[in-house]
Amino acid sequence: MVPHLVTALNGPLLELEKKILGATPAIERWFRMEWQEHTPPFYCSVDLRNAGFKLAPVDTNLFPGGFNNLSPEMLPLAVQAAMAAIEKYCPDARNLLLIPETQPGNTFYLQNIGRLMQIFRQTGLNVRLGTLAQGSTKPQQIELPDGTHITLEPLERSANGRRLGLKNFDPCTVLLNNDLSSGIPSVLEGLHEQSVLPPLHAGWALRRKSNHFAAYDEVVKKFSKMVEVDPWMLNPLFTKVSDIDFQENTGTDALADSVSSLLSKIRKKYKEYGIKEQPFVFIKANAGTYGMGIMAVKDASEIKDLNRKQRTGMLAGKEGLEVSEVIVQEGVHSFERINQAVAEPVVYMIDRYVVGGFYRVHAERGVNENLNAPGAHFVPLAFAQQHALPDMHAKPGTAAPNRFYMYGVVARLALLAASVEMEKTDPNPEVY
């Protein structure tokens, strides 16, 4: 199923599509060579924005929580990719312990867990769920809307303290679908005999978006040189600002200066390419997810005039994670539409393979607003590069498979950047 897309099909994006399609053999070889040097994250989702003149990732999640939004046709691909991913860490794997977020009331999220269990069971693994919820002493069964159920069980450390499992269940691998926003629980530390995936430093307790986008900067420069495009076409400009206290309204002068400087760089680029849109930036908490701790700004003066509601919105992210450091990121308009509503593609990967994606659609948000907000809905799509290979002879901008191939390429650039980021921020680099 390919959703009906309406896009601003003009300007440099068509040129970009042409160049990327023309360079497909070189691009795929380049990725193969890069994966010999770097280990891809176990799984990953990337939010993209397509402005018609630019296609860029704006967020990379290493604990993706929307596998239930993928089209069922893509499941065989996800199973194959999961097999490849598991074999790297534990070739004779039999048992997998999956640790989800501690939000038993969120049935939408738990359907994602049900889908993940389905994928891993089809790879031949016994999968059980362990919970990080405080005070959990006995299994808890939760019914899902589709008539199935899942069981969350209390975690147990082995007698020697070096392994983590459940009662009568000793897993080879511990897979986290919990982004550790509230800190690293002691029960996950010091596991010397099992792979914990993603590694603990991938969690928001330690991870920072500025490190990711700095790594993306490096990756995209190399890639752009190969395909001979301006890296800006694929890359949102950004800068980091520290020591901010939104409650006390301190550090906001430095923030306003950063916003002003970034907006002037974007204006220069818009002028270079004859782009008439109004530039804007997103201010985002440097750690955290779920679309929290984020606001859009068109002028530095807006920082000085923040009202109480806006300041409160920036005070804390998920799990009450305090916001004292932000990134100011170039805003990329989203000119994709589904049924007149603004949409942005989200690409899902397991290991180094694109396994599907969906559109996040929000009828009440504009082309320059954050769509990851209450009221969003999701339209699954079978990412067409697996079902219909790119059509090299199609006119740029006319073939959906070509669009999806481009999405897959840019998402994999963000995946590669996440790999580089994880290596650079690893507290125990000798493991690599």
Side-chain angles (χ1 to χ4, degrees):
M1 181 198 76
V2 175
H4 179 63
L5 299 174
V6 182
T7 314
L9 287 175
N10 53 21
L13 193 62
L14 298 189
E15 193 55 36
L16 185 64
E17 183 177 300
K18 208 164 147 189
K19 282 192 166 168
I20 282 182
L21 288 171
T24 297
I27 287 170
E28 295 307 323
R29 180 178 181 275
W30 183 81
F31 273 121
R32 277 198 306 276
M33 304 302 284
E34 289 294 324
W35 293 129
Q36 286 175 25
E37 300 292 318
H38 307 284
T39 303
F42 187 84
Y43 51 14
C44 176
S45 69
V46 177
D47 294 4
L48 299 174
R49 301 273 287 203
N50 177 0
F53 52 83
K54 176 173 186 137
L55 176 66
V58 292
D59 205 15
T60 301
N61 187 355
L62 297 179
F63 302 86
F67 279 93
N68 52 313
N69 292 322
L70 302 188
S71 130
E73 295 88 21
M74 303 310 282
L75 278 182
L77 198 70
V79 171
Q80 277 183 319
M83 280 180 179
I86 285 284
E87 275 169 17
K88 275 185 188 163
Y89 299 96
C90 193
D92 58 348
R94 185 175 299 165
N95 295 335
L96 177 73
L97 174 61
L98 179 55
I99 299 181
E101 296 277 351
T102 51
Q103 38 179 304
N106 186 343
T107 51
F108 188 80
Y109 168 74
L110 293 174
Q111 283 173 274
N112 153 71
I113 293 298
R115 174 62 65 86
L116 272 174
M117 291 180 80
Q118 182 189 356
I119 290 168
F120 290 114
R121 279 179 177 149
Q122 287 181 14
T123 69
L125 290 167
N126 301 314
V127 189
R128 282 167 63 180
L129 298 176
T131 177
L132 287 170
Q134 294 294 317
S136 173
T137 54
K138 55 183 184 191
Q140 178 192 8
Q141 189 170 301
I142 299 173
E143 302 296 325
L144 298 181
D146 62 2
T148 61
H149 69 268
I150 58 171
T151 304
L152 296 167
E153 302 179 63
L155 296 166
E156 292 184 1
R157 285 293 277 255
S158 62
N160 68 3
R162 296 168 70 86
R163 298 179 73 83
L164 182 66
L166 308 171
K167 191 174 184 179
N168 304 322
F169 186 73
D170 182 26
C172 148
T173 303
V174 178
L175 179 63
L176 298 174
N177 197 252
N178 181 312
D179 64 22
L180 308 179
S181 290
S182 54
I184 297 171
S186 55
V187 73
L188 294 177
E189 291 180 318
L191 298 174
H192 301 297
E193 296 177 1
Q194 291 160 306
S195 296
V196 177
L197 303 168
L200 296 180
H201 68 284
W204 287 120
L206 298 173
R207 187 178 178 224
R208 295 295 175 264
K209 290 175 189 176
S210 51
N211 291 332
H212 175 73
F213 284 102
Y216 184 77
D217 227 19
E218 281 177 38
V219 165
V220 90
K221 274 177 186 153
K222 279 166 71 177
F223 176 83
S224 302
K225 203 170 174 184
M226 177 188 66
V227 292
E228 298 178 340
V229 298
D230 179 348
W232 178 75
M233 297 278 182
L234 301 165
N235 193 7
L237 302 172
F238 84 98
T239 185
K240 178 178 90 168
V241 185
S242 305
D243 303 321
I244 297 173
D245 186 329
F246 285 100
Q247 189 152 19
E248 300 296 326
N249 214 10
T250 56
T252 46
D253 286 350
L255 178 58
D257 290 347
S258 294
V259 167
S260 180
S261 157
L262 200 67
L263 281 169
S264 85
K265 284 180 188 168
I266 302 166
R267 277 189 209 101
K268 240 183 219 160
K269 277 296 185 186
Y270 278 22
K271 195 173 174 191
E272 183 183 336
Y273 288 103
I275 294 159
K276 302 283 185 270
E277 305 299 330
Q278 185 181 7
F280 69 106
V281 296
F282 278 120
I283 296 168
K284 301 180 174 184
N286 202 9
T289 180
Y290 275 44
M292 297 173 81
I294 178 168
M295 65 181 171
V297 169
K298 292 175 187 161
D299 192 272
S301 63
E302 293 175 50
I303 301 300
K304 297 184 171 75
D305 303 331
L306 286 181
N307 61 35
R308 201 170 77 188
K309 187 180 172 192
Q310 288 168 312
R311 286 211 301 274
T312 304
M314 290 300 294
L315 277 179
K318 186 178 164 228
E319 305 275 0
L321 204 63
E322 200 176 302
V323 177
S324 61
E325 193 173 77
V326 297
I327 64 166
V328 181
Q329 185 184 62
E330 175 185 354
V332 182
H333 301 80
S334 192
F335 289 137
E336 299 268 38
R337 287 182 180 272
I338 292 178
N339 298 332
Q340 305 309 309
V342 178
E344 65 187 13
V346 184
V347 181
Y348 272 59
M349 290 157 286
I350 297 178
D351 197 64
R352 59 195 176 104
Y353 306 102
V354 173
V355 298
F358 53 83
Y359 277 97
R360 182 184 286 119
V361 185
H362 205 305
E364 288 155 35
R365 293 281 169 120
V367 296
N368 57 0
E369 292 184 279
N370 170 31
L371 304 188
N372 188 5
H377 69 277
F378 306 95
V379 178
L381 50 96
F383 256 55
Q385 78 208 58
Q386 281 77 26
H387 288 255
L389 290 170
D391 179 356
M392 304 299 180
H393 304 295
K395 255 176 76 179
T398 60
N402 293 354
R403 176 90 55 82
F404 297 149
Y405 178 70
M406 273 178 70
Y407 289 166
V409 167
V410 177
R412 283 182 290 160
L413 290 175
L415 180 76
L416 180 55
S419 171
V420 171
E421 169 202 0
M422 287 298 101
E423 288 163 23
K424 287 188 170 183
T425 56
D426 189 354
N428 305 302
E430 68 276 5
V431 173
Y432 281 94

